[in-house]
Amino acid sequence: MNLGIRSSSTETIHDPSHVLVVGKSPINRVVVSKIVERSGLRPISESPDMAARTLRSLVPGAIVLDGGPDNRDCDNLMPGIETLRRTSGKSLPPVILLSTKTGTPESLGLSSVVDVVVAKPITPERLQPVIDRLVRR
């Protein structure tokens, strides 16, 4: 379901049916992508470096970031995501961080860009309800 909503100045496509899955580990990206598909959404799996380019042309329905061992694997994306959310005026797209630690974004000292922290190991029972809730809000 591509809505094809385009911004006249930047040619950015807003597509809530896509979820951007970002992480250095290809295995974790595949696991998360399968969970995204179970929610009836279309995953776009990218490394942190490639994801920055993707976010310049597509605003997905949600972003799932694999923080890696220290929650910092995707730090280079935070300024771009923050800009997207500020321009949306609604803190969209929502951002989920997959973390080795449990807690809230605030308790873990994470960027204000992160909406929800999901502790690893990644399982459908933990991640899918979070994706469903954030994408449908």
Side-chain angles (χ1 to χ4, degrees), residues 124-137:
E125 295 77 24
R126 285 186 188 174
L127 184 57
Q128 189 173 352
V130 175
I131 292 171
D132 291 343
R133 179 172 46 90
L134 289 177
V135 170
R136 310 228 188 296
R137 76 174 180 184

Side-chain angles (χ1 to χ4, degrees), residues 1 4 6 13 19 24 29-30 35 58 65 67 76 82 84 86 88 92 109 120 123 134:
M1 174 177 126
R6 293 180 183 266
I13 298 170
V19 174
K24 288 184 177 178
R29 291 196 318 254
V30 168
I35 294 169
L58 172 75
L65 304 174
N76 65 320
E82 189 170 18
L84 272 178
R86 194 172 44 249
S88 80
L92 296 174
K120 295 179 184 179
T123 64
L134 289 177

Side-chain angles (χ1 to χ4, degrees), residues 21-33 45-48 64-69 73-74 98 120 122:
V21 177
V22 185
K24 288 184 177 178
S25 165
I27 294 168
N28 285 356
R29 291 196 318 254
V30 168
V31 169
V32 173
S33 292
S45 175
E46 301 278 11
S47 68
V64 180
L65 304 174
D66 181 353
D73 280 6
C74 297
L98 307 175
K120 295 179 184 179
I122 306 159

